[in-house]
Amino acid sequence: MNLKFMDKKIRIITGLFFMGILVSGFAQTDSIQVPDTNLELPSIAENTSVKKDSTNGFKRVKLDGIAAVIGDYVILDSDIDKTLIDLRNQGASTEDVTRCGLLGKLMEDRLYAHQAVQDSILVSDDEVNLTGDRQLQSLVQQIGSMAKVLKYYKKDNEADFREELYKINKLRMLSEKMQQKIVSDIEITPEEVRQFYNKIPESERPVIGAEMEIAQIVKEPEPSEDEIQKVIDKLNSIKADIEDNDASFNVKAILYSQGPSKSKGGAIPSVTKESSYVTEFKDVAFSLQEGEVSEPFETQFGWHIMIVEKIRGQERDVRHILLQPEITQSTLDKLKVELDSIRQNVMDGKYTFEEAALNFSDQKETKFDGGKLRNPQDFGPRFELTKMDPELYNQVRNLKDDEISMPIFEQDPRGGAPKYKIMKITNRYDEHVADFAQDYIKIQQLAKTEKQYKAIKEWMNEHIEDTYITVNEANRECEFANNWVKE
């Protein structure tokens, strides 16, 4: 979407504030990407330092100065350097990023955190420490060892690194909770959406790229009872070897599991009740004691056994072994023939595609809506061509209006059973200037974003006035988005 009608500051807020791209300290999220070893991360420097010179004895070196103070928080010059490097490590473009801009963002984060403390918004030590644990696990897995992690980040020991991660994560989490509180109650009415749309000059209204709506009918194979029993017997055999002979669950997973975590010995760390794993998987994870191996259980992906390796409060580190009953080629061939028949009957007018989806599709998420797919970005029915998943685009790109695809074979990327499906493009929308009725959902989201931005701006102005803030003389010439330099 062409958002040229929006104020530049609103676009920055949309891109960085609400999407959370800009990071503070080592990491914005619980997972940390592999650092770019061609970039040297500055270590936390002291406010004063001296260095011995072989000819002149001791001499002064440049200090790590204080860039700004926000309430109880101090921002050092090195914090700005680290944030810039962290942005690069996260893959964000830094072409238009300035030191003044970064300092302004760091000041915003600290004002949120400062006010969160004043408002008694709490972040528990357990919550912060668990986040640090996940970050360290991710770094060790990606870089190779804790020693390499400490060497890269110039830390003498793990305790020092954990302490610094704690401080960074505590600030970040307080800041995020404060931001969520500011915008949590903001709603947008249809009248506000209409007013937002009408105030955009016609020459500056956003351009919506070409879009399409897609429907599908899916047939999923059912394994035979004999194949299911074979898998259950195999899992029981593995379970017995682990419990009776002290066999390694890790090794068994590498040898036998058919899930995506196979190479990691079936390891899935930090499972919570809010995690996106299927309900059956989470239910078993929270029913076991440490070291206990489950009975075989079924999910949509197949049959599993699980062991809980570590319980930390409301989190579980687990390993699992996934086996899928064999689906014979003859079973898959029958699905293809069945879909061929459904396709032909729709083309012959015996029933509509929507009626066929309701009566014959095995995909519960779409069958009750005429087989209509939902865009995961906004849960609307439209897919913008330039932003579609490449695999989905390739499946429908050659379909003409009212044409139904031949049966398409598809492997489940999450590890489930393969399936066949037929697809149809139900609507097409050429590139066009945004229309209030046709593009209401997109305009509604833009209107809500603007309203959230205004609320944040008002909150920021109010609390800047009420908070102790000082900016180093060297940074007073910066053109900040907020009035940090009080007169």
Side-chain angles (χ1 to χ4, degrees):
M1 182 180 297
N2 179 3
L3 302 181
K4 65 181 181 180
F5 73 97
M6 296 181 70
D7 180 87
K8 183 177 180 181
K9 292 178 183 176
I10 297 179
R11 285 186 278 132
I12 291 172
I13 290 294
T14 304
L16 298 181
F17 188 100
F18 290 108
M19 297 307 292
I21 294 174
L22 194 59
V23 291
S24 174
F26 288 114
Q28 162 76 10
T29 57
D30 292 347
S31 63
I32 304 176
Q33 297 184 12
V34 177
D36 182 350
T37 53
N38 293 320
L39 298 171
E40 184 166 343
L41 182 68
S43 59
I44 293 295
E46 301 294 335
N47 285 337
T48 61
S49 64
V50 292
K51 184 177 181 181
K52 188 172 182 179
D53 184 89
S54 59
T55 57
N56 298 321
F58 290 93
K59 67 177 182 180
R60 296 185 182 276
V61 298
K62 183 179 179 180
L63 306 181
D64 183 10
I66 295 176
V69 177
I70 309 291
D72 297 327
Y73 292 98
V74 175
I75 302 173
L76 301 176
D77 288 328
S78 63
D79 293 330
I80 304 173
D81 296 328
K82 287 190 302 177
T83 303
L84 179 62
I85 290 174
D86 205 22
L87 277 170
R88 291 171 180 165
N89 283 340
Q90 295 292 327
S93 172
T94 58
E95 182 179 349
D96 297 324
V97 174
T98 65
R99 285 184 64 83
C100 288
L102 285 178
L103 175 58
K105 184 61 175 67
L106 293 178
M107 293 171 76
E108 288 179 14
D109 290 340
R110 279 141 184 85
L111 181 59
Y112 293 130
H114 172 79
Q115 193 59 42
V117 174
Q118 308 308 308
D119 291 355
S120 300
I121 295 176
L122 302 178
V123 175
S124 70
D125 288 347
D126 284 346
E127 188 179 358
V128 180
N129 287 327
L130 287 173
T131 298
D133 288 342
R134 287 195 293 265
Q135 292 171 336
L136 280 178
Q137 289 174 11
S138 177
L139 281 171
V140 169
Q141 287 176 1
Q142 295 177 72
I143 297 178
S145 69
M146 179 60 71
K148 290 181 180 179
V149 172
L150 296 177
K151 181 179 179 181
Y152 177 78
Y153 285 105
K154 296 185 177 180
K155 292 298 169 187
D156 294 332
N157 54 67
E158 183 177 335
D160 287 348
F161 195 29
R162 285 184 177 275
E163 181 180 357
E164 186 159 0
L165 279 176
Y166 176 89
K167 293 176 182 177
I168 291 168
N169 287 325
K170 182 73 173 283
L171 185 149
R172 175 178 61 80
M173 295 164 81
L174 284 170
S175 174
E176 288 175 350
K177 287 196 173 185
M178 189 69 247
Q179 294 172 51
Q180 291 164 6
K181 180 182 177 182
I182 296 168
V183 301
S184 61
D185 295 329
I186 293 179
E187 298 295 339
I188 194 82
T189 66
E191 177 59 21
E192 287 175 313
V193 178
R194 186 188 65 80
Q195 292 177 5
F196 170 81
Y197 177 78
N198 287 338
K199 76 180 182 181
I200 305 171
E202 288 191 18
S203 62
E204 296 183 12
R205 285 179 179 166
V207 174
I208 311 295
E211 298 175 304
M212 62 174 62
E213 295 181 4
I214 306 166
Q216 64 183 20
I217 298 171
V218 179
K219 298 303 294 182
E220 299 173 349
E222 289 288 340
S224 68
E225 290 297 325
D226 287 343
E227 293 298 330
I228 291 174
Q229 192 58 51
K230 285 180 185 178
V231 164
I232 294 174
D233 292 344
K234 179 65 175 178
L235 289 173
N236 278 324
S237 174
I238 294 172
K239 171 180 165 69
D241 197 18
I242 292 168
E243 292 178 333
D244 299 340
N245 303 317
D246 202 26
S248 167
F249 197 104
N250 182 4
V251 172
K252 293 289 188 182
I254 292 173
L255 289 174
Y256 300 112
S257 184
Q258 297 171 315
S261 63
K262 170 187 178 74
S263 62
K264 299 177 182 178
I268 299 182
S270 306
V271 177
T272 69
K273 291 182 179 180
E274 289 73 38
S275 298
S276 59
Y277 304 108
V278 293
T279 301
E280 300 91 338
F281 190 89
K282 291 186 289 187
D283 286 346
V284 173
F286 282 85
S287 70
L288 300 173
Q289 302 298 317
E290 271 190 23
E292 184 180 0
V293 181
S294 74
E295 298 294 330
F297 65 97
E298 186 182 15
T299 71
Q300 67 191 65
F301 304 108
W303 287 81
H304 314 245
I305 56 172
M306 177 191 297
I307 186 171
V308 172
E309 291 196 324
K310 186 72 175 178
I311 297 176
R312 297 189 308 273
Q314 295 302 308
E315 292 200 351
R316 304 288 189 272
D317 289 345
V318 308
R319 292 183 186 271
H320 78 124
I321 296 171
L322 168 66
L323 296 181
Q324 297 164 340
E326 183 180 352
I327 304 295
T328 64
Q329 187 59 49
S330 62
T331 300
L332 291 172
D333 291 342
K334 288 179 182 178
L335 293 183
K336 185 177 180 181
V337 170
E338 185 178 353
L339 277 175
D340 269 327
S341 176
I342 294 171
R343 176 179 180 272
Q344 190 61 51
N345 286 336
V346 172
M347 293 172 63
D348 291 342
K350 292 185 177 180
Y351 37 72
T352 66
F353 193 95
E354 292 75 15
E355 291 170 338
L358 176 62
N359 290 303
F360 304 118
S361 182
D362 293 331
Q363 190 175 58
K364 295 179 181 178
E365 298 90 344
T366 60
K367 67 178 297 178
F368 299 107
D369 195 19
K372 187 177 294 183
L373 291 176
R374 294 285 169 177
N375 190 328
Q377 294 181 356
D378 59 10
F379 300 103
R382 298 187 191 177
F383 293 81
E384 188 170 342
L385 269 58
T386 59
K387 299 177 182 178
M388 283 178 65
D389 175 84
E391 184 176 359
L392 177 62
Y393 176 73
N394 286 331
Q395 290 172 344
V396 299
R397 64 178 180 174
N398 294 322
L399 287 179
K400 298 179 176 62
D401 291 345
D402 298 322
E403 183 181 3
I404 302 172
S405 74
M406 299 297 291
I408 299 170
F409 178 76
E410 184 175 80
Q411 291 282 3
D412 190 329
R414 299 175 298 175
K419 54 181 175 273
Y420 270 102
K421 63 183 182 180
I422 54 176
M423 308 183 75
K424 178 184 179 182
I425 296 175
T426 56
N427 276 305
R428 296 182 191 268
Y429 304 89
D430 294 332
E431 181 176 282
H432 61 280
V433 175
D435 176 80
F436 182 76
Q438 183 175 324
D439 304 300
Y440 181 83
I441 292 177
K442 288 184 171 62
I443 296 168
Q444 180 188 50
Q445 185 56 52
L446 290 173
K448 186 173 183 180
T449 297
E450 183 190 56
K451 190 174 181 179
Q452 289 174 327
Y453 169 74
K454 288 180 178 178
I456 289 166
K457 191 70 176 175
E458 291 173 4
W459 183 95
M460 189 71 62
N461 290 337
E462 176 187 343
H463 288 84
I464 285 175
E465 288 298 320
D466 298 338
T467 306
Y468 172 76
I469 297 171
T470 181
V471 180
N472 185 299
E473 190 68 32
N475 297 311
R476 285 177 170 267
E477 299 303 317
C478 285
E479 294 184 7
F480 294 116
N482 298 299
N483 185 29
W484 298 114
V485 183
K486 302 179 189 179
E487 299 298 336

